Amino acid sequence: MKRWIAFWNIVLKDMRAYYLKPPNVSWGLLFPLAWAGMFLIRSGQDVHSLLSVLPGMIALSVLFGTSSMLAVAVTFEKKAKVFERLLLAPISLALLLLAKTSGAVFFGVFNAFVPFRFCSGGGSVIFPA
Amino acid sequence: MGALSGPVRPDSGSIAVGGIDCSRKPKAAQHLIGLVPDESNLYPELTGFDNLCFSGALYGMRKTRRQHRAEELLEQFGLSGAAGRLFSGYSRGMKRRLVIAAAIMHRPAVLFLDEPTSGIDVESSRLIRNLLSDLHRQGTTIFLATHYIAEAERLCDRIAFIAGGKIVREDSVERLLQPVLGRNALSIVISGDVSTVPYDALRQAFPCLSFHGAPDGELHIESREPIRAGALMRFLEDRGIEVAEAKKKQLSLEDVFVDMTGIGAGVMQKEKEGRGRR
């Protein structure tokens, strides 16, 4: 139980300190939106035609959303010497890595909702047929 | 310090904290340990209160318990007014206090501190020294690494002198102070070159005193007998040596350290700064 309190608080702290900062939120919205817009312009059809490429766009959003921020968060913490604090905590390295990556995965999944919402009708507002 | 707290593996030997081998079971030992490194290790983007709560959470403390403990520590460390401010906006002394508070959130049995009062304001250092004394009285074992020998003398029960990476002597403060107890010392500042002092004549005239000239122009005199400063100064002035200042000196642990190792604490500080830059 105790270790999961640590796990959950590391995830929450990462979300508050890094992922939910305004520049990251706007990047998380704009990046998948740019992908969706790019495919839509290329296809020359309406928003519903994007359904065929939706799995790919979701995968790209998760991949870029997860990996880009995680690398920044860990290197930043190492540079600021705060990562040492986590290493000194009585939690296993595996759980620490799981906590650090979980925050990034949540952010990546949040990114994936943008193309999903775009294809389920939100895109028609931005790009009317 | 790194080996004691877990992240660094010792080259040889073993380390146990509370009977737990730190090399074999570092995570079990870390429950008993609080560490205050020489640099701040808290999150600049979190408030003082959130930093403390997060530190408690790392040790599995539940929400209400850690919030209560954080408030208690902020009060104790004089930081209640700054609890809601970001850590990045704290002064150096406030940061140091919060780092110590974070290290004792989970009430560790052993607290390791690396230079806790280095480079901070007088008020914060006094507060930290008083808090460390209180913690010690409450039963926490405190392991303090410092270049301020006077601070170690005031706070510690046992002291280990380290020179060139090796422990040269480890003992209680009383026993370490034994060589300087009952010794009187006088420091005389000479106007001019200290090398012109007639040491042989001085030793002949005052056989129970010992004389050491320092390159900074000071003449250090020590004796087991009371030193008659007037006679000494008259002797020097009769030989054309002008005395600018004479002050009685209380011999301390720093003198013991210098006698034992032959190096001053200032040299040790420079050595450490050099290692930090590399």
Side-chain angles (χ1 to χ4, degrees):
Chain A
M1 179 61 194
K2 280 186 171 183
R3 72 177 72 163
W4 293 109
I5 292 177
F7 167 84
W8 184 238
N9 276 277
I10 294 171
V11 174
L12 283 180
K13 188 269 300 166
D14 279 358
M15 297 295 276
R16 281 177 61 191
Y18 309 118
Y19 302 117
L20 296 181
K21 291 280 176 194
N24 293 332
V25 173
S26 59
W27 181 88
L29 289 169
L30 284 175
F31 182 75
L33 214 56
W35 278 112
M38 188 181 75
F39 281 116
L40 185 70
I41 291 164
R42 178 73 184 84
S43 70
Q45 294 171 24
D46 66 352
V47 169
H48 299 290
S49 68
L50 283 181
L51 283 174
S52 57
V53 289
L54 181 62
M57 285 198 293
I58 287 176
L60 281 171
S61 302
V62 172
L63 175 72
F64 281 94
T66 303
S67 56
S68 58
M69 282 316 296
L70 180 62
V72 174
V74 173
T75 48
F76 172 77
E77 288 194 350
K78 282 188 82 173
K79 212 172 169 184
K81 308 221 168 171
V82 289
F83 197 68
E84 204 176 277
R85 169 147 222 96
L86 300 176
L87 293 175
L88 287 169
I91 49 169
S92 67
L93 200 61
L95 192 75
L96 174 59
L97 287 174
L98 187 67
K100 295 302 283 183
T101 41
S102 296
V105 169
F106 287 148
F107 183 66
V109 170
F110 158 76
N111 280 5
F113 273 100
V114 178
F116 183 78
R117 183 77 187 92
F118 190 90
C119 293
S120 64
S124 330
V125 180
I126 307 168
F127 299 99
Chain B
M1 194 75 92
L4 285 163
S5 55
V8 178
R9 298 254 162 153
D11 295 331
S12 60
S14 64
I15 300 167
V17 175
I20 301 169
D21 190 325
C22 295
S23 315
R24 283 171 152 196
K25 294 178 182 170
K27 293 294 161 191
Q30 278 164 357
H31 269 293
L32 305 173
I33 291 170
L35 177 72
V36 180
D38 58 347
E39 286 178 68
S40 296
N41 64 350
L42 296 181
Y43 293 90
E45 55 283 292
L46 297 185
T47 64
F49 181 75
D50 288 343
N51 261 305
L52 290 186
C53 286
F54 179 67
S55 297
L58 290 178
Y59 289 85
M61 288 169 75
R62 287 179 187 278
K63 195 175 178 182
T64 45
R65 213 179 120 217
R66 62 176 184 258
Q67 283 180 343
H68 183 259
R69 175 81 173 135
E71 280 164 7
E72 180 189 307
L73 285 172
L74 286 164
E75 177 73 42
Q76 201 179 337
F77 281 76
L79 293 168
S80 293
R85 268 167 55 191
L86 290 181
F87 182 66
S88 55
Y90 277 28
S91 72
R92 208 178 152 89
M94 288 163 82
K95 280 183 178 171
R96 207 82 197 113
R97 280 186 265 162
L98 198 74
V99 171
I100 297 174
I104 59 169
M105 262 299 277
H106 62 293
R107 300 181 194 274
V110 187
L111 180 64
F112 293 102
L113 298 116
D114 192 2
E115 303 283 354
T117 59
S118 174
I120 61 170
D121 58 287
V122 179
E123 189 196 346
S124 292
S125 359
R126 275 175 65 92
L127 186 77
I128 288 170
R129 277 196 292 270
N130 291 338
L131 287 163
L132 291 178
S133 299
D134 288 346
L135 272 176
H136 179 51
R137 267 194 295 277
Q138 286 159 22
T140 308
T141 302
I142 295 174
F143 185 100
L144 173 76
T146 182
H147 284 87
Y148 300 134
I149 298 176
E151 183 175 85
E153 185 178 346
R154 203 184 307 173
L155 289 175
C156 303
D157 296 329
R158 292 186 72 79
I159 292 175
F161 287 145
I162 300 178
K166 296 216 181 303
I167 294 177
V168 289
R169 173 96 190 267
E170 194 238 318
D171 219 325
S172 65
V173 176
E174 293 76 29
R175 287 174 67 118
L176 285 170
L177 279 171
Q178 210 64 48
V180 293
L181 285 179
R183 256 165 71 182
N184 300 297
L186 186 74
S187 191
I188 292 179
V189 181
I190 307 285
S191 310
D193 190 2
V194 76
S195 63
T196 58
V197 174
Y199 286 105
D200 291 336
L202 272 170
R203 282 181 192 117
Q204 254 181 358
F206 304 94
C208 57
L209 306 184
S210 65
F211 301 89
H212 312 278
D216 55 2
E218 280 196 25
L219 179 64
H220 298 290
I221 303 142
E222 283 183 30
S223 173
R224 293 256 169 223
E225 308 296 323
I227 301 170
R228 291 180 296 127
L232 196 64
M233 276 183 280
R234 271 196 301 277
F235 182 89
L236 289 170
E237 278 168 2
D238 288 348
R239 277 149 189 83
I241 295 159
E242 201 182 321
V243 175
E245 193 186 342
K247 52 193 174 203
K248 198 179 168 194
K249 227 177 108 186
Q250 185 71 45
L251 289 173
S252 66
L253 206 57
E254 189 165 329
D255 299 287
V256 178
F257 177 80
V258 174
D259 280 354
M260 205 173 282
T261 60
I263 55 171
V267 176
M268 296 284 286
Q269 182 68 44
K270 275 180 195 159
E271 260 181 29
K272 193 184 177 195
E273 282 165 7
R275 275 203 303 276
R277 275 196 292 275
R278 280 199 291 274

